[in-house]
Amino acid sequence: ELKVEQNPLFLSMQEGKNYTIYCNYSTTSDRLYWYRQDPGKSLESLFVLLSNGAVKQEGRLMASLDTKARLSTLHITAAVHDLSATYFCAVDSNSGGYQKVTFGIGTKLQVIP
Amino acid sequence: DAGVIQSPRHEVTEMGQEVTLRCKPISGHNSLFWYRQTMMRGLELLIYFNNNVPIDDSGMPEDRFSAKMPNASFSTLKIQPSEPRDSAVYFCASSPRGTGWYEQYFGPGTRLTVT
């Protein structure tokens, strides 16, 4: 069974600082997704990483994928308050011939002005 | 496109009552997912459909839960009878898996409270 672990689970950081969220997974996969969820809202797709070495950037967020290490990172550069949200990674795996997506438990990010 | 549509947005019911949650996926998407989110258990996949066929229902907690997808534009998740521990936010998501992109698009969710 695929396990997806995120750390840290909670992150409080000051505006302007840099930080990285880590996502480890337990079985082979070459598709990884990052989602954002604002409090009381739904999940919104941020990045889709489809191959080893993939790197995607959007504003102050940059995601990368290392399939050999089974690790993805979400790097936050010069954080701003608007980035406060919960971030989820999700990994595809093959289950009985069908793709199945497993979500991590989420990292709650609080950016303090 | 209007995105994934869920109804109702909020539901409050008494224990023992039947609850039906509804979902309209994005047109053209051929995969549909039902999730449950709670503080204690996080985001759990309950069931997913591909081309209206249930593929994996291993996440459905027990026989009180059932899901159907009678056509490509509509799905229901039913709880009968409901219990207080079913209180959660239920999300429906759809995905255009046929294109090779498996990104999921989530609906706004239904907040269910069972008293």
Side-chain angles (χ1 to χ4, degrees):
Chain A
E1 180 184 340
L2 174 62
K3 294 189 186 302
V4 180
E5 295 183 349
Q6 290 183 236
N7 70 83
L9 299 184
F10 299 97
L11 176 57
S12 182
M13 58 190 298
Q14 287 188 321
E15 279 192 330
K17 298 293 187 181
N18 304 333
Y19 208 83
T20 301
I21 300 171
Y22 297 89
C23 175
N24 291 90
Y25 53 97
S26 60
T27 63
T28 302
S29 175
D30 59 2
R31 288 188 182 90
L32 189 138
Y33 314 86
W34 284 97
Y35 291 85
R36 168 180 172 148
Q37 185 179 34
D38 291 314
K41 304 292 186 182
S42 187
L43 281 78
E44 174 188 0
S45 177
L46 289 174
F47 300 111
V48 181
L49 302 170
L50 296 178
S51 61
N52 186 43
V55 177
K56 295 277 186 75
Q57 183 164 4
E58 179 74 31
R60 301 174 186 274
L61 299 177
M62 183 173 71
S64 65
L65 178 61
D66 181 343
T67 57
K68 294 180 182 178
R70 300 177 184 169
L71 170 69
S72 178
T73 60
L74 180 65
H75 186 72
I76 303 155
T77 301
V80 294
H81 180 68
D82 286 350
L83 290 179
S84 298
T86 299
Y87 293 86
F88 294 89
C89 66
V91 181
D92 262 355
S93 61
N94 190 291
S95 175
Y98 291 92
Q99 294 296 116
K100 179 174 180 175
V101 176
T102 302
F103 279 77
I105 200 165
T107 296
K108 186 171 183 178
L109 171 66
Q110 182 183 35
V111 181
I112 303 168
Chain B
D1 200 312
V4 176
I5 299 172
Q6 291 187 247
S7 64
R9 295 292 304 277
H10 301 272
E11 177 80 32
V12 180
T13 190
E14 292 183 347
M15 183 174 64
Q17 296 298 307
E18 177 180 297
V19 175
T20 299
L21 310 182
R22 296 172 176 80
C23 175
K24 176 179 169 57
I26 293 173
S27 177
H29 285 192
N30 61 346
S31 289
L32 183 139
F33 308 81
W34 282 102
Y35 291 91
R36 177 173 69 176
Q37 186 176 40
T38 62
M39 288 293 293
M40 292 297 293
R41 300 175 68 91
L43 191 67
E44 303 173 274
L45 175 65
L46 300 177
I47 186 171
Y48 89 88
F49 295 84
N50 190 53
N51 293 325
N52 311 339
V53 176
I55 301 301
D56 184 352
D57 65 355
S58 60
M60 296 286 263
E62 48 198 275
D63 291 346
R64 298 184 296 107
F65 286 69
S66 62
K68 293 182 179 180
M69 192 165 186
N71 57 62
S73 59
F74 184 65
S75 178
T76 59
L77 178 66
K78 184 178 293 186
I79 308 172
Q80 166 64 15
S82 58
E83 296 182 3
R85 61 193 167 119
D86 301 331
S87 297
V89 179
Y90 291 80
F91 289 105
C92 175
S94 68
S95 172
R97 283 182 167 245
T99 69
W101 288 83
Y102 297 165
E103 179 182 17
Q104 295 183 27
Y105 296 77
F106 282 76
T110 295
R111 182 174 296 276
L112 173 65
T113 303
V114 183
T115 61

